[in-house]
Amino acid sequence: MSFKKIIAFVLLIGIAYYFLLPEIFRSLITLPNPMKYCLGMIIIAPIAFCMGMPFPHGLSMLSKKIPQLVPLAWGINGYTSVIGAVLATFLAMGVGFGIVFLSAMFSYSVVLVMGSRFAHSPANQI
């Protein structure tokens, strides 16, 4: 699957989740916990699977164009993973999970635009 298709899928599913999940969760509230856990994993699986794909794709593009920046990319990924988890928790408590979710979708939109530009630019123009 191409880089653009993966990110577009994440964005489409993310927007659908933003509008549909509150009602789905309300309808599942009376179910026993084990069933809720299973349904939660099923609901999350499609977007979670695709959210893990852009970094390896980007790393592959980077290694072909500027291989000396691959260690830096790994470092940035590690840093943002730690900071992002903490920041998402604080934001969710302060302004709500909806804002965190919309921020994540905005971030994936930026990745779509910047990743597409990077993919189509010659190595000597980066």
Side-chain angles (χ1 to χ4, degrees):
M1 191 181 278
S2 75
F3 181 78
K4 284 183 182 181
K5 287 180 184 177
I6 291 167
I7 303 236
F9 183 77
V10 168
L11 291 171
L12 288 172
I13 294 296
I15 291 166
Y17 280 8
Y18 182 76
F19 291 107
L20 299 175
L21 282 183
E23 188 58 38
I24 291 171
F25 288 157
R26 272 191 285 281
S27 67
L28 300 177
I29 198 97
T30 59
L31 295 175
N33 282 342
M35 190 175 280
K36 283 192 251 185
Y37 301 149
C38 290
L39 289 172
M41 288 190 299
I42 291 168
I43 290 169
I44 291 171
I47 196 168
F49 180 75
C50 288
M51 286 176 110
M53 291 181 169
F55 181 69
H57 275 276
L59 204 58
S60 176
M61 286 190 291
L62 185 63
S63 69
K64 290 174 186 164
K65 293 187 180 216
I66 315 172
Q68 62 270 25
L69 290 183
V70 170
L72 178 64
W74 275 106
I76 291 170
N77 180 62
Y79 172 81
T80 55
S81 295
V82 171
I83 296 301
V86 173
L87 184 60
T89 303
F90 286 136
L91 281 174
M93 291 187 312
V95 294
F97 185 73
I99 297 298
V100 174
F101 198 80
L102 291 175
S103 299
M105 292 303 102
F106 175 76
S107 297
Y108 274 88
S109 299
V110 170
V111 168
L112 177 62
V113 171
M114 298 307 292
S116 297
R117 285 185 181 175
F118 182 77
H120 297 332
S121 66
N124 61 357
Q125 290 184 352
I126 299 174

